[in-house]
Amino acid sequence: MSGYGDRDGKIWMDGTLVEWRDANVHILTHALHYASSVFEGERCYDGKVFKSRAHSERLLKSGELMDMPIPYTVDEIEAAKAAVLEANGLSNAYVRVLAFRGAGEDMGVAAARNPIRMAVTAWEWGNYYGDAKMKGAKLDIAKWKRPSPETIPVAAKAAGLYMICTMSKHAAEAKGCSDAMFLDYRGYVAEATGANIFFVKDGEVHTPLADAILNGLTRQTVIGMLKDRQVKVHERHIMPEELEGFEQCWLTGSAAEVTPVGQIGDYSFEVGAMTRDMSAAYEALVRA
């Protein structure tokens, strides 16, 4: 398949379906210079986007938190997704919705007079971590830390928050890893570059408290699934030295789905029964 800029297909931009190769923006688009954009990553299974409206609602909330009032309703965003999937003949796909400040009257840090634009794209995308879905991903421990909520709205799925993710994932891949795990600004275990993290010990599950990380929709779904199974879930601060005592580990995210982890730094985990069960159960849920 060609690169992402050179494909057949349609992309929804500002209310209109355009040819994939024509979905371009001006070089003075504010988001390109100042990361003034928010987005959602979603998966469509057998023609239905999982938790689609929740993603659209979060997009609008992210825009609000980033002082970017997005000029579309949830229903309009839902219609745009449906139009893109239909135009591209996709029933199993990854869907990306992006809202951003475009080129306009302002070209400094402030950009209140610039239009807020939106685009919706979709493409076929397999397992985010490749064969790690079966044997367990290998994670590095990032040198960068998740920032304090006093520095940026961590509840927003904002492009600027992903700059350290790109750097950390590049460093991890250079070491032969699939991804990197962050600590937060206090030194607690936080998350991976694009996924939340869970641990198992003595039949109970431990996951970082979402007070400095994005409370992922897949994270929330999996916590609900665990509670339905009468599994005790501890949402709490986790120190990195606790990794030695955990038996299993997995990642969750719309792209990652439920992916087992086999190693984080020097710590190893088994791809155990609970991890396999949650991965299979999530796969069944999204296709139900």
Side-chain angles (χ1 to χ4, degrees):
M1 185 178 288
S2 300
Y4 283 97
D6 183 22
R7 297 186 179 189
D8 296 326
K10 300 282 188 180
I11 290 176
W12 186 98
M13 290 191 75
D14 305 317
T16 304
L17 286 169
V18 301
E19 293 297 325
W20 191 288
R21 295 177 182 85
D22 296 333
N24 301 313
V25 296
H26 195 275
I27 193 65
L28 292 182
T29 293
H30 192 268
L32 184 61
H33 297 257
Y34 297 101
S36 50
S37 65
V38 295
F39 69 96
E40 286 295 318
E42 313 169 36
R43 279 198 187 262
C44 179
Y45 300 93
D46 301 332
K48 183 179 179 180
V49 178
F50 186 64
K51 291 194 174 292
S52 186
R53 292 189 70 88
H55 279 287
S56 297
E57 290 165 357
R58 188 172 66 180
L59 181 79
L60 296 181
K61 183 63 177 178
S62 292
E64 178 185 330
L65 289 169
M66 299 301 293
D67 194 27
M68 288 176 48
I70 297 170
Y72 294 96
T73 65
V74 168
D75 287 340
E76 288 170 331
I77 298 170
E78 291 298 294
K81 291 183 221 176
V84 165
L85 289 165
E86 181 180 3
N88 290 287
L90 296 170
S91 58
N92 290 281
Y94 179 80
V95 180
R96 172 62 58 88
V97 185
L98 175 74
F100 61 99
R101 287 197 182 275
E105 296 180 59
D106 295 323
M107 198 48 219
V109 171
R113 295 181 296 175
N114 289 21
I116 295 169
R117 304 183 59 188
M118 194 173 81
V120 182
T121 59
W123 61 88
E124 292 182 342
W125 208 7
N127 292 336
Y128 186 66
Y129 291 108
D131 63 3
K133 199 75 180 288
M134 283 66 74
K135 65 181 184 180
K138 181 181 178 182
L139 273 59
D140 186 27
I141 298 178
K143 73 173 185 178
W144 303 103
K145 292 185 177 181
R146 277 293 183 208
S148 164
E150 295 177 325
T151 65
I152 195 167
V154 295
K157 195 169 176 67
L161 283 165
Y162 282 79
M163 291 186 292
I164 59 172
C165 298
T166 298
M167 293 186 292
S168 298
K169 188 150 185 169
H170 286 176
E173 289 176 342
K175 297 177 182 178
C177 297
S178 301
D179 204 348
M181 184 193 77
F182 288 110
L183 304 180
D184 70 16
Y185 67 104
R186 297 161 297 191
Y188 298 132
V189 172
E191 59 184 343
T193 62
N196 294 121
I197 194 163
F198 289 76
F199 302 97
V200 179
K201 182 177 181 180
D202 298 330
E204 298 182 352
V205 172
H206 303 256
T207 190
L209 188 66
D211 60 351
I213 58 175
L214 188 71
N215 185 11
L217 295 176
T218 309
R219 175 186 184 274
Q220 296 173 48
T221 299
V222 168
I223 289 174
M225 293 168 66
L226 288 163
K227 290 181 177 179
D228 288 344
R229 286 166 166 72
Q230 307 303 312
V231 175
K232 191 166 186 178
V233 179
H234 304 271
E235 297 182 69
R236 64 178 182 84
H237 295 144
I238 298 173
M239 294 300 295
E241 54 265 28
E242 293 185 66
L243 270 60
E244 186 175 13
F246 292 131
E247 301 146 8
Q248 302 176 48
C249 177
W250 69 74
L251 301 175
T252 65
S254 295
E257 300 169 297
V258 177
T259 297
V261 173
Q263 184 175 347
I264 303 175
D266 295 330
Y267 303 103
S268 296
F269 308 91
E270 64 171 325
V271 181
M274 188 182 296
T275 301
R276 293 194 303 270
D277 174 61
M278 294 311 300
S279 181
Y282 182 79
E283 180 71 17
L285 175 67
V286 297
R287 296 185 182 278

